[in-house]
Amino acid sequence: MKKRIHQIELFQKYPLDVQEEIRCRLIQTAKKTEFGKKYDFANIQNIEQYRNNVPVHNYEKLYPYIERRMKGEEKLLWPTDVKWFAKSSGTTNARSKFIPVSAEALDECHFKGGKDLISIYANNYPDTKMFSGKGLALGGSHQINELDPKANSYYGDVSAVIMKNLPMWAQIIRTPSLEIALMDNWEEKIEKLAETTIDENVTSISGVPTWTILLLQRLMEMKGAKDITEIWPNLEVFFHGAVSFTPYRNLFKQLIPSQGMRYVETYNASEGFFGIQDQKDSEELLLMLDYGIYYEFIPYGEIHNENPKAIGLEDVELGQIYALLITTNAGLWRYSIGDTIKFTSLSPYRIKIAGRTKHFINAFGEELVVENAETAISEACEKTGAMIDNFTAAPMYFTDKSEGSHEWVIEFNKKPESLERFTTILDETLRQVNSDYDAKRYKDLALKMPVVHIAEPGSFYQWMKKRGKLGGQNKVPRLANNREYIDDLLAMLKAQD
């Protein structure tokens, strides 16, 4: 671990050199693939040529290659045999995505990220007792790829792909068994997870906050416990990712009231492991630069252009929102993953996740992003004593009977004393953190006060179940620039009344 900390310090000291070396190695490795030949990798000498030769790709552009690989063709995007595919939750569109996960991506990125997470944590907390017990991992499911049985390839949530390929020593120190961890019936899985871990000495948890809450609540119900410390007294850390932890922090403090409980954020997606919280007192994420991933960044104003211009690490600025563009050791070339980030530090390079390129509200020129929404929700909860489980929001368009506004559906674990005061604080905070929203709200000219609906406990769970999106990496879409999600959710709530 200490040796690895030294290596991390090296890429912090020489970030541009490390990234340039990775870019050259990736291009050299893949120059004889079908993709490499098409874009003349053999003659690319510098980053300018790379950007000129290879256009920005989204999933739809790469899908024909991925589909052919899943049916057994080789050396298309990457020269080595790719047998695993991470099935994305597809929150940006209805269709699931299948992201190739090469052996190199597993070893040099996903596994390395997991080991670095533990190394950084132990370096920050040398008194840790985490290794005296077991780590509980809430993963997804996996199944045999049915496109072509002869291809001998598999797919599942990225967490399931990682679990299935973990070395034996890692399997010994984790819980539950793989058989339970990889179950695809999420409701049955929660029950089995609770039954088999309730008497274990769990010292760490890793997973998505929303699904972790369900497990903790079920455990407390089964044991008749007032909080988790009665069940797992040695629990000391929750490694979390996939969604912002900010709206859930107070609820976790209630479920795990231990003074010594620690929370560490990660940025791990189907496409790769990108960032780790490396400081005790800050939720900023250290951008991990030596995982076989080359990074570029699309400025916010370019995101929706057909051929967006991208910049490298050397040109990024603090506080600006960028779409993340990656080139990886699994054959994703100048691939836009759909996430937006902003830099909080340039030495070393640290980031915060701002949201999704398709998860925003801009129906009236307000340019509201997920980060704004989560900040406002947290502030409103803090000032009204509320705690939330989930939320989503969308625009309410102008009609002959109403003017424009934003409509929110919020499921509270603890309701605010006054919904009116909660809504007012939500609105005021949005105006403080987003000048475009503030301008549209001026004297109610373009936007009226938000409309907030309270959903009963379990509503979002039932909605996600109805959509076939339970568990794993599936996430509730926070914001949408259309009413597809919210109308479906409201219709379900109305039918239940």
Side-chain angles (χ1 to χ4, degrees):
M1 287 183 181
K2 288 179 180 178
K3 179 183 177 182
R4 180 56 189 155
I5 294 298
H6 175 65
Q7 293 171 343
I8 291 171
E9 290 170 348
L10 279 177
F11 79 62
Q12 292 182 58
K13 189 174 181 180
Y14 304 104
L16 303 184
D17 294 338
V18 169
Q19 279 284 281
E20 178 63 13
E21 181 183 327
I22 285 174
R23 182 189 63 79
C24 292
R25 176 161 52 88
L26 293 174
I27 292 172
Q28 181 68 21
T29 302
K31 66 182 181 182
K32 292 184 179 179
T33 62
E34 183 176 309
F35 191 93
K37 292 174 182 177
K38 178 178 179 180
Y39 293 106
D40 197 20
F41 279 13
N43 291 311
I44 292 177
Q45 302 296 321
N46 53 51
I47 183 58
E48 288 76 19
Q49 287 179 325
Y50 181 55
R51 288 176 182 158
N52 288 335
N53 282 25
V54 184
V56 170
H57 284 74
N58 57 21
Y59 183 76
E60 285 68 28
K61 290 180 180 177
L62 283 186
Y63 179 69
Y65 294 98
I66 295 171
E67 183 181 36
R68 287 167 57 197
R69 176 64 203 101
M70 292 180 79
K71 291 181 178 180
E73 289 190 57
E74 297 181 359
K75 296 184 178 179
L76 301 172
L77 293 168
W78 191 248
T80 61
D81 190 18
V82 178
K83 293 185 177 181
W84 287 92
F85 296 84
K87 184 180 178 182
S88 166
S89 59
T91 52
T92 55
N93 56 39
R95 185 174 62 187
S96 295
K97 299 177 182 178
F98 295 91
I99 305 299
V101 182
S102 65
E104 293 87 345
L106 274 172
D107 289 337
E108 299 169 23
C109 183
H110 291 289
F111 288 165
K112 195 173 182 180
K115 288 185 281 189
D116 281 356
L117 175 62
I118 295 171
S119 297
I120 290 170
Y121 178 77
N123 190 59
N124 283 339
Y125 303 100
D127 61 338
T128 178
K129 302 290 192 298
M130 183 176 72
F131 305 107
S132 66
K134 290 192 174 183
L136 188 152
L138 273 80
S141 60
H142 96 287
Q143 62 192 88
I144 295 175
N145 166 23
E146 297 173 352
L147 286 176
D148 189 342
K150 296 178 182 177
N152 190 30
S153 55
Y154 307 85
Y155 65 80
D157 289 344
V158 65
S159 54
V161 172
I162 292 168
M163 281 187 203
K164 189 68 177 177
N165 288 279
L166 282 173
M168 184 57 68
W169 65 265
Q171 302 286 13
I172 294 170
I173 60 173
R174 57 169 300 282
T175 189
S177 66
L178 270 185
E179 181 184 2
I180 294 171
L182 298 176
M183 288 173 65
D184 55 7
N185 183 323
W186 192 252
E187 291 175 296
E188 185 182 348
K189 183 175 183 171
I190 284 286
E191 287 298 309
K192 289 289 186 182
L193 278 166
E195 289 171 7
T196 56
T197 62
I198 197 166
D199 294 318
E200 290 275 14
N201 178 26
V202 173
T203 54
S204 68
I205 306 175
S206 57
V208 179
T210 41
W211 308 119
T212 303
I213 288 169
L214 284 176
L215 175 61
L216 299 184
Q217 290 173 334
R218 181 62 185 129
L219 282 162
M220 288 161 55
E221 183 183 352
M222 290 172 65
K223 201 83 167 181
K226 68 177 187 297
D227 61 60
I228 287 298
T229 62
E230 294 183 10
I231 301 170
W232 296 329
N234 299 316
L235 179 63
E236 68 170 75
V237 60
F238 177 35
F239 300 112
H240 59 86
V243 299
S244 170
F245 191 63
T246 304
Y248 301 104
R249 188 172 297 280
N250 286 337
L251 180 54
F252 269 89
K253 285 181 179 178
Q254 184 184 73
L255 295 171
I256 316 170
S258 170
Q259 292 294 320
M261 186 64 186
R262 298 157 182 158
Y263 299 92
V264 179
E265 186 166 359
T266 65
Y267 184 9
N268 187 16
S270 300
E271 297 85 356
F273 204 126
F274 307 129
I276 297 172
Q277 179 183 330
D278 67 319
Q279 302 172 101
K280 291 182 181 181
D281 56 351
S282 173
E283 296 176 2
E284 299 171 12
L285 299 166
L286 179 68
L287 190 62
M288 307 305 287
L289 301 178
D290 63 348
Y291 285 5
I293 299 174
Y294 179 76
Y295 292 100
E296 295 176 85
F297 308 91
I298 302 173
Y300 191 76
E302 292 270 339
I303 287 175
H304 299 294
N305 292 349
E306 188 173 345
N307 295 299
K309 294 179 180 178
I311 60 176
L313 270 178
E314 65 277 11
D315 293 320
V316 298
E317 298 177 9
L318 290 175
Q320 299 297 311
I321 293 179
Y322 300 99
L324 196 59
L325 194 65
I326 58 173
T327 292
T328 78
N329 51 6
L332 300 178
W333 301 99
R334 305 201 74 211
Y335 181 80
S336 177
I337 70 170
D339 286 350
T340 57
I341 57 98
K342 67 179 182 180
F343 283 87
T344 56
S345 166
L346 301 182
S347 183
Y349 287 102
R350 292 195 179 98
I351 61 172
K352 279 192 172 182
I353 302 167
R356 299 282 294 172
T357 57
K358 294 184 180 180
H359 285 193
F360 62 90
I361 302 178
N362 194 29
F364 310 98
E366 66 273 48
E367 295 192 8
L368 193 75
V369 297
V370 173
E371 183 187 31
N372 301 153
E374 289 171 338
T375 299
I377 280 277
S378 298
E379 185 71 11
C381 283
E382 189 72 31
K383 291 185 175 178
T384 63
M387 286 185 281
I388 73 151
D389 264 347
N390 259 310
F391 74 89
T392 193
M396 288 181 72
Y397 300 113
F398 292 105
T399 68
D400 55 350
K401 296 180 180 179
S402 65
E403 298 186 53
S405 64
H406 289 175
E407 190 168 21
W408 297 66
V409 178
I410 305 175
E411 181 182 323
F412 292 97
N413 184 271
K414 179 183 176 184
K415 295 179 182 178
E417 295 175 0
S418 166
L419 182 61
E420 183 179 355
R421 181 163 180 259
F422 181 94
T423 305
T424 299
I425 297 169
L426 177 74
D427 179 60
E428 288 173 349
T429 308
L430 288 173
R431 295 186 71 163
Q432 290 169 13
V433 300
N434 185 316
S435 58
D436 291 313
Y437 179 88
D438 183 47
K440 303 304 179 293
R441 284 283 294 116
Y442 179 71
K443 292 187 177 181
D444 290 350
L445 290 177
L447 274 176
K448 296 289 187 182
M449 277 282 288
V451 175
V452 177
H453 304 281
I454 294 181
E456 290 304 309
S459 295
F460 276 88
Y461 181 89
Q462 292 301 323
W463 182 57
M464 293 291 278
K465 180 181 177 181
K466 182 173 81 76
R467 298 171 61 230
K469 299 288 184 181
L470 278 185
Q473 299 293 107
N474 292 302
K475 303 175 283 291
V476 171
R478 295 305 195 200
L479 302 179
N481 204 35
N482 57 56
R483 296 190 56 82
E484 175 189 354
Y485 297 127
I486 204 164
D487 280 345
D488 186 49
L489 176 57
L490 289 170
M492 187 197 78
L493 297 178
K494 185 177 181 180
Q496 292 175 348
D497 288 343

